[in-house]
Amino acid sequence: MLVPVRPLSDLSPGDAVRLEPQHTLDPTGPGVAIFLTEDGELHAIDDSCTHQDAALSDGYLEGCFIECPLHAALFDLRTGEPDGPPASVPVRTHPVVVVEGWIHVDLGGAEEIAA
Ligand code: FES
């Protein structure tokens, strides 16, 4: 399921936007954080740290990594894998595409979190 987020032209490199939970398949879930890296790559992950409850869209973007704003765990936006403690569980990633200038997140193609 492709969900439109906003025009790509609204974002500058280093920006993050949040897709609110009511616009996802899980209205009680964390929502989705979408990032435009300095290299122009788009990545989407669940907007919740797997350590505790912090919005990763409020974190610090550096390259393809997002640093959690609460305890500084780093997550690789390409894989969702944490890069060290205190987080040990990957965050779920979602495919992102641009259709007619709009960023879309493919929530139907979400990868499952590894057990
Ligand atoms: S809540 Fe993210 S590292 Fe603790």
Side-chain angles (χ1 to χ4, degrees):
M1 178 175 109
L2 282 182
V3 178
V5 179
R6 69 173 56 188
L8 177 60
S9 59
D10 282 1
L11 271 65
S12 297
D15 281 351
V17 293
R18 175 178 162 83
L19 186 64
E20 297 297 332
Q22 63 266 29
H23 300 299
T24 72
L25 296 173
D26 182 5
T28 62
V32 176
I34 299 101
F35 301 91
L36 178 61
T37 70
E38 294 289 342
D39 291 335
E41 296 179 10
L42 285 163
H43 297 282
I45 58 174
D46 279 355
D47 194 16
S48 182
C49 183
T50 58
H51 177 233
Q52 290 180 4
D53 189 18
L56 293 172
S57 58
D58 292 334
Y60 309 100
L61 184 62
E62 189 162 334
C64 284
F65 289 86
I66 186 70
E67 181 182 297
C68 175
L70 203 51
H71 305 116
L74 277 179
F75 293 91
D76 188 327
L77 294 174
R78 299 163 294 189
T79 63
E81 291 288 334
D83 196 41
S88 59
V89 175
V91 67
R92 191 167 56 168
T93 62
H94 305 277
V96 187
V97 295
V98 177
V99 179
E100 296 180 358
W102 273 70
I103 299 166
H104 290 69
V105 177
D106 186 351
L107 297 177
E111 299 169 15
E112 295 299 319
I113 296 174

